[in-house]
């Protein structure tokens, strides 16, 4: 039987030269693959969370830039570069918090600038190769994060995760879920708990779906049940992903992450942040410098309900992410190893 895990979260259809994504807004009830070639459609797909999760956004943007630029009808390299920069900046405006978006787009621009003297067909090939390198490196980073994280876990552990930092947020394995997949294959018998993750329900709709599709023991809980679960001693470790890590180890991740971290500290539960290098941004000193995306009010009051769940004119606070202070984090797990405070990320 085919499962959601058989579909690539993000890929390139080489025959049609199209960006292919799963429309994640329709999960878990419908699996619809989208083939995108138009810049505005790719911008919308990122903004509307059809493709989401920091690493997947970066990969989609890289493949998207290749797909869009491969259609430019010019034979002038300078004009190609000018159009590329304009489109790249537009795509970069789709979501502000996950650094993987600008990281991947900057890599694409660098390849273009480094090869600007080549014939255009070769230049386009270089862009295709770079976008696929970003995709394949992401798979490799996620796998290594999983091995590193698994070394901190024990058979039978109760593991809590927030939002979706799974395969649906990356090219494969996920970041926070990578150790869950590897542990599952190796008979660890984890009990996984997924916060539903208000307001967009990535935990309930996506994480519980992909992990249960893989045959894991998964339980969904409302975000406000975390403290109760930890107090009962049912959680041995928290594993979350992230959208940007500042130089001092403060971390931006899905709204509600800092609540989980605070409660975990209270009950002495280790709180691990899983971060590929593509999510580390040493150019921001601390969490206060990270731009937090604000989302429309309807996501809180109307989107999931038959009827509005708040008066029409009431004010709504809907930040998509929050900052977890570094002192709440037990370790940041990257593909390179397990890092503990004091964190001092530098440009490499
Ligand atoms: O708004 P989303 O669904 O893109 O938010 C996703 C998250 O916050 C993830 O935890 C983060 O991007 C890490 S994904 C490996």
């Amino acid at each position: 039987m085919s499962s959601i895990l058989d579909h690539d979260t993000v890929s390139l259809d080489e025959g049609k030269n199209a960006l292919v994504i799963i429309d994640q807004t329709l999960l878990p009830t419908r699996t619809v693959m989208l083939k995108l070639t138009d810049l505005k459609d790719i911008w919308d797909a990122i903004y509307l969370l059809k493709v989401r999760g920091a690493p997947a956004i970066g990969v989609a943007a890289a493949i998207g830039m290749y797909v869009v630029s491969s259609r430019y009808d010019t034979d002038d390299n300078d004009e190609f570069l000018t159009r590329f920069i304009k489109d790249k900046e537009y795509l970069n405006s789709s979501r502000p918090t996950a650094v993987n978006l600008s990281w991947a787009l900057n890599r694409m621009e660098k390849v273009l600038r480094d090869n600007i003297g080549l014939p255009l067909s070769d230049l386009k090939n270089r862009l295709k190769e770079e976008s696929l390198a970003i995709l394949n490196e992401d798979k490799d980073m996620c796998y290594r994060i999983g091995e590193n994280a698994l070394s901190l876990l024990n058979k039978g552990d109760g593991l809590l995760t927030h939002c979706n930092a799974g395969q649906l947020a990356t090219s494969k394995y996920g970041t926070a879920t990578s150790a869950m997949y590897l542990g599952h294959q190796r008979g660890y018998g984890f009990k996984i708990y997924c916060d539903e993750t208000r307001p967009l329900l990535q935990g309930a709709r996506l994480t519980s779906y992909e992990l249960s599709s893989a045959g894991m023991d998964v339980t969904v809980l409302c975000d406000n049940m975390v403290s109760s679960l930890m107090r009962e001693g049912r959680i041995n470790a928290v594993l979350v992903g992230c959208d940007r890590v500042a130089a001092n180890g403060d971390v931006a991740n899905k709204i509600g992450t800092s609540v989980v971290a605070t409660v975990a500290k209270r009950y002495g539960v280790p709180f691990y942040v899983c971060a590929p290098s593509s999510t580390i941004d040493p150019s921001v000193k601390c969490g206060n410098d990270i731009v937090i995306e604000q989302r429309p009010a309807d996501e809180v009051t109307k989107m999931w309900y038959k009827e509005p769940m708040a008066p029409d004119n009431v004010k709504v606070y809907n930040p998509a992410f929050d900052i977890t202070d570094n002192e709440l984090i037990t370790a940041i797990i990257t593909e390179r190893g397990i890092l503990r405070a004091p964190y001092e990320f530098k440009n490499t």
Side-chain angles (χ1 to χ4, degrees), residues 166-200:
Q167 171 149 325
L168 288 164
T170 64
S171 306
K172 207 169 170 60
Y173 310 114
T175 57
T177 60
S178 184
M180 299 174 189
Y181 283 114
L182 296 182
H184 181 61
Q185 285 163 12
R186 297 174 197 175
Y188 271 62
F190 294 135
K191 270 191 92 52
I192 314 288
Y193 295 90
C194 303
D195 286 347
E196 65 173 354
T197 317
R198 285 277 294 150
L200 293 183

Side-chain angles (χ1 to χ4, degrees), residues 49 51-55 57 95 98 162-166 169-170 174-176 200 202 206 240-243 252-255 257 274 276 293 320-321:
L49 276 60
V51 58
R52 32 74 42 213
I57 292 172
R95 295 192 77 187
H162 188 74
C163 192
N164 175 266
T170 64
T175 57
L200 293 183
Q202 290 93 331
L206 308 176
V240 295
C242 62
D243 287 78
N253 191 46
K254 179 53 53 193
I255 189 73
T257 302
C274 299
E293 176 183 8
F321 302 97

Side-chain angles (χ1 to χ4, degrees), residues 59-183:
V59 175
I63 295 178
M65 270 317 299
Y66 159 66
V67 162
V68 167
S69 63
S70 71
R71 287 175 166 73
Y72 292 162
D73 54 353
T74 176
D75 47 18
D76 180 84
N77 288 30
D78 288 338
E79 191 188 332
F80 187 94
L81 176 64
T82 307
R83 285 183 68 176
F84 188 98
I85 301 298
K86 186 163 162 260
D87 290 350
K88 177 208 144 189
E89 275 162 17
Y90 173 64
L91 213 48
N92 197 31
S93 70
S94 52
R95 295 192 77 187
T97 305
V99 69
N100 307 62
L101 178 60
S102 55
W103 172 86
L105 288 170
N106 288 340
R107 266 183 70 165
M108 295 296 282
E109 180 183 340
K110 180 164 183 338
V111 161
L112 178 54
R113 288 191 187 276
D114 288 351
N115 294 281
I116 195 67
L118 291 181
L120 272 179
S121 57
D122 294 348
L123 205 48
K124 288 177 183 177
N125 257 330
R126 285 294 300 111
L127 289 170
K128 175 160 96 177
E129 284 166 11
E130 187 68 4
S131 69
L132 296 179
I134 289 172
L135 179 137
N136 288 321
E137 286 168 27
D138 184 54
K139 287 184 188 170
D140 187 56
M141 287 193 281
C142 287
Y143 182 84
R144 286 166 195 268
I145 287 172
E147 288 287 8
N148 290 334
L150 193 59
S151 72
L152 297 166
L153 306 175
N154 296 303
K155 290 197 166 175
D157 273 353
L159 304 176
L160 177 84
T161 190
H162 188 74
C163 192
N164 175 266
Q167 171 149 325
L168 288 164
T170 64
S171 306
K172 207 169 170 60
Y173 310 114
T175 57
T177 60
S178 184
M180 299 174 189
Y181 283 114
L182 296 182

Side-chain angles (χ1 to χ4, degrees), residues 51 115 133 206 212 222 292 294 322:
V51 58
N115 294 281
L206 308 176
S212 59
C222 301
I292 300 292
Q294 301 292 324
D322 63 18

